[in-house]
Amino acid sequence: MGCINVDSLPVDQRIKDILKNRGIQRLNPPQSEAVEKGLLEDKPLLIVSPTASGKTLMAELGMVSHLLNKGGKAVYVTPLRALTNEKYATFKDWEQLGLKVAMTSGDYDTDDYWLKDYDIIVATYEKLDSLWRHNSSWLKEVDYFVLDEFHYMNDTERGPVVESVAVRAKRRGIVLALSATIGNYDKVAKWLKADVVATNWRPVPLKEGVLYTSNKKKDFIVLYKDGSSKKVYGECPIVAYTLDTVSRDGQVLVFRSSRKYAESTAVKISQYMSLVKLDNKKLHEVAQKVKEVEDAGSNEKESLYNLILKGVAYHHAGLSKGLRDIIEGAFRERIIKVIVATPTLAAGVNLPARAVVIGDIHRFNRKVIGFTEYIPVMEYKQMSGRAGRPGFDEYGESVVIVRSKSEVEKITQKYLNSDVEPLESKLGSESAFYSFILSIISSEQGVTEKTLSSYVQDTLLPKELAKKYYKQAISWLMSNDFIGQKDDYLVLTRFGRRISDLYLNPFTAVTIKDALLKSEKGCEIAYFHLLAYTPDGPLVSVSKAEEDVILDELDCELFIEEPYDEFELSNYLSSLKVAFIMRDWIEEVDEDTILGRYGIGSGDLRAITDTMDWLTYSGYHVASVLGLEEHEKILEKLHLRVKDGVKEELIPLIRVSGIGRVRARLLYSHSIKTPEEILMNPEKVKQLLGPKLGEKIVREAARAIT
């Protein structure tokens, strides 16, 4: 079909003006098809089109035209906080039309009543699910749902909540689901009661290939899907192909299967970057920013500083947000030429490159020790889809590295010439399904079994399996005091209501409840270990050497007994390592020392402390609703200490906004120990913290007291 001119769109002129200010004069083919299929008339749609094909703009047009014509509220849902921030910044344009845009994520124990004044709300799937459980009155006005990155429904961990949100969204309003990769889109669209816009159109054509070693040691051949080929030369295939692209003014994303491989590959590539032209002045400026980041470890900063000077960086979840932001920004500005990343980057923020190198088509399966498996086709499509920068490249290239020519045909057929896996329900586990049932009962504030059964039938689970799990779920939730019956309705008990509001996995709640009910108060390690051992706890890897050390250092009795099962033991040891990390953290052990001692990154430490902050908060509320006062007091204090990592005497100071572990300890060491003492010694505070910051802290102390 043809491309629609912006001027001919049947929308408010102000919408056209905003599009033109962005440089958009015509809609591209998939955008035009979406309009033809009713995007501007509130028709439910499933849009499946490649990365950078303009799906976000389709969502904007759908939301804004609906709000201007019909009123109500629109929610744009994403699977990642980073995407939430990105979309929020994009949607701020529409405030020119008088629409108010807000963003919310995290903090699951709140109804976010303040959102009643906003028209477009950007949230994560988990946050929207949590808000429904809290039954905030403004949610009744939401009648337009954009479900972004909808293929996340295939993810074992995130999929259940994506499906749960989709089930309720299609019952409550108009659904616009977006994805780059869904194989069975006809079936999924029928399930969503939506029409389909499915296209392979890309703004920058993609050239896919497989790279293998020729008969000559330092010659490597790329055989493309279209039958063409080319040679690159160098010490190893990844380095050879990367340097070939960078030497032609391109940027490269290299994907490796592990953090260790990502870091070592980045170092290897950097050793050859003197062969290409770089903007050394700008690279030095970026590297200097890395050194000044506050939320990262010294070793990480030093490592990245040296790499960035050579135009290279690595990127994975172990890095702090501050470091990741700098690396992503410098890559977008074309200063950094190469990022070596783990596959999580492919599913995250928009970061296109001229070329993508997929260094590993196998990965370890953690559930089967010593076993590797092929990555899913969907994961390949997500990574290769990053190739090609609109406005810079005539075409993008993606290459898969294989060991020998004998693998080329097999990998070509498996990845380059096949469709992605079908989207299937991930509610087929007790944990996921029971959480879904609890969520529905909570958000509907009492439902009959018939109504609840209709929600279950609305999932993508096979009907017989859904019936089986439904009966099990009702029985289990009743026997564990989450739900009860009142007349013909299923209702939450006091315990069930609190667990639902806290957004806890029901199995986490039962694990905590059972342990606390049968035990006297324990040591700090015991509480941290219990919380980390639950299904909601953070996971860390434990080497054999670490296993011996942490078991030797354990000097108190735990709530959980050491299991005999190999996989349960692995979880037990992971939880124990988390407990030791958290004890060091709240004892104010230096961050660099913690990172080095436990072999984790600053991003890992942030993720662990964030999760344990939520779990200690949840733990003390579980103890409270059970009337276990001793456990409640201990868990509340641990919660207050976890967020900033402080000893107990600093709790009063960290209640002041802007004061963390370092500033609190500085003030305390100079005999300023409470918010009141901050107010009584303003000049001393300014002297210790600097005039501007000191003045701000004094103001915040006044707020903390009132």
Side-chain angles (χ1 to χ4, degrees), residues 17-135:
D17 292 340
I18 287 174
L19 297 184
K20 289 178 180 178
N21 285 339
R22 291 183 183 178
I24 300 169
Q25 299 293 333
R26 298 166 67 85
L27 300 187
N28 66 32
Q31 291 166 344
S32 300
E33 183 180 347
V35 170
E36 291 289 338
K37 288 193 171 179
L39 177 69
L40 305 178
E41 288 85 45
D42 288 346
K43 295 289 172 60
L45 295 174
L46 170 64
I47 299 174
V48 183
S49 63
T51 301
S53 58
K55 293 188 289 294
T56 301
L57 180 61
M58 299 186 221
E60 291 177 271
L61 289 173
M63 289 190 297
V64 173
S65 59
H66 171 78
L67 293 171
L68 293 182
N69 293 331
K70 305 279 182 64
K73 294 183 188 296
V75 174
Y76 189 104
V77 204
T78 81
L80 303 168
R81 288 191 190 186
L83 284 173
T84 302
N85 295 331
E86 189 179 284
K87 302 306 179 186
Y88 170 71
T90 300
F91 300 162
K92 292 291 281 183
D93 277 358
W94 302 106
E95 292 194 336
Q96 299 172 47
L97 308 187
L99 299 173
K100 296 180 71 177
V101 182
M103 170 181 70
T104 181
S105 63
D107 193 2
Y108 297 130
D109 194 19
T110 174
D111 65 0
D112 282 2
Y113 181 71
W114 60 277
L115 289 171
K116 67 182 177 62
D117 297 323
Y118 291 83
D119 306 290
I120 298 174
I121 295 134
V122 191
T124 59
Y125 282 98
E126 287 82 0
K127 181 63 179 182
L128 178 56
D129 187 24
S130 169
L131 287 168
W132 265 325
R133 294 177 186 219
H134 281 83
N135 291 292

Side-chain angles (χ1 to χ4, degrees), residues 358-650:
I358 299 166
D360 308 283
I361 50 172
H362 298 91
R363 67 174 172 211
F364 285 103
N365 184 331
R366 290 185 178 182
K367 294 181 180 178
V368 185
I369 294 173
F371 179 72
T372 60
E373 60 188 4
Y374 281 108
I375 64 171
V377 178
M378 183 178 288
E379 193 170 304
Y380 163 77
K381 296 288 187 186
Q382 287 291 317
M383 291 188 283
S384 63
R386 297 289 168 185
R389 302 163 303 174
F392 292 107
D393 301 321
E394 291 183 13
Y395 62 89
E397 286 190 39
S398 73
V399 298
V400 180
I401 307 295
V402 296
R403 295 185 184 91
S404 64
K405 188 176 180 180
S406 62
E407 289 186 88
V408 170
E409 186 175 348
K410 178 181 178 181
I411 296 307
T412 299
Q413 291 304 318
K414 182 169 180 60
Y415 293 109
L416 280 62
N417 292 332
S418 63
D419 293 327
V420 298
E421 297 81 5
L423 208 63
E424 296 175 336
S425 177
K426 291 295 180 286
L427 285 170
S429 73
E430 290 176 336
S431 178
F433 192 84
Y434 295 4
S435 292
F436 169 69
I437 293 295
L438 194 65
S439 169
I440 299 301
I441 295 173
S442 174
S443 59
E444 296 303 313
Q445 293 182 302
V447 294
T448 63
E449 287 205 34
K450 183 179 179 182
T451 302
L452 185 59
S453 178
S454 74
Y455 272 96
V456 173
Q457 294 301 312
D458 252 357
T459 69
L460 254 184
L461 272 176
K463 301 305 178 189
E464 287 306 310
L465 190 60
K467 285 180 184 177
K468 174 189 169 186
Y469 273 119
Y470 175 70
K471 289 179 181 176
Q472 289 180 2
I474 297 300
S475 174
W476 188 88
L477 290 169
M478 280 189 170
S479 63
N480 283 282
D481 195 34
F482 288 94
I483 63 174
Q485 203 136 14
K486 188 176 181 181
D487 298 325
D488 293 330
Y489 294 95
L490 293 169
V491 294
L492 295 181
T493 62
R494 184 164 170 262
F495 176 69
R497 165 54 63 192
R498 199 71 199 96
I499 299 310
S500 181
D501 284 351
L502 290 166
Y503 206 66
L504 276 183
N505 181 313
F507 286 87
T508 292
V510 168
T511 302
I512 296 171
K513 180 175 79 167
D514 289 349
L516 297 184
L517 282 172
K518 71 180 183 184
S519 307
E520 299 295 324
K521 64 180 182 180
C523 64
E524 293 169 349
I525 287 285
Y527 287 102
F528 285 139
H529 178 257
L530 166 63
L531 297 170
Y533 188 70
T534 66
D536 286 313
L539 281 173
V540 294
S541 59
V542 183
S543 67
K544 183 61 181 173
E546 284 182 311
E547 178 183 328
D548 294 336
V549 170
I550 60 179
L551 287 173
D552 287 344
E553 289 186 2
L554 183 60
D555 56 3
C556 71
E557 192 173 334
L558 302 178
F559 294 125
I560 305 294
E561 293 182 6
E562 187 173 329
Y564 295 104
D565 178 87
E566 186 176 0
F567 292 109
E568 283 303 309
L569 180 60
S570 175
N571 186 23
Y572 179 91
L573 293 169
S574 166
S575 307
L576 196 50
K577 180 175 174 178
V578 169
F580 277 104
I581 291 170
M582 293 312 302
R583 187 175 70 175
D584 282 2
W585 176 245
I586 65 171
E587 286 300 313
E588 299 179 40
V589 174
D590 177 72
E591 188 168 326
D592 279 340
T593 302
I594 294 175
L595 302 185
R597 182 178 292 170
Y598 298 102
I600 59 174
S602 54
D604 298 318
L605 182 57
R606 293 288 169 272
I608 290 167
T609 54
D610 283 351
T611 302
M612 295 303 287
D613 178 42
W614 166 53
L615 285 173
T616 48
Y617 175 82
S618 299
Y620 100 73
H621 277 281
V622 170
S624 175
V625 81
L626 295 173
L628 303 173
E629 292 183 9
E630 286 294 327
H631 290 305
E632 179 187 355
K633 287 175 186 175
I634 294 168
L635 282 161
E636 183 176 17
K637 278 185 182 174
L638 287 179
H639 168 63
L640 293 171
R641 295 172 63 190
V642 161
K643 186 174 183 181
D644 291 292
V646 296
K647 294 180 180 178
E648 192 172 331
E649 68 258 26
L650 296 189

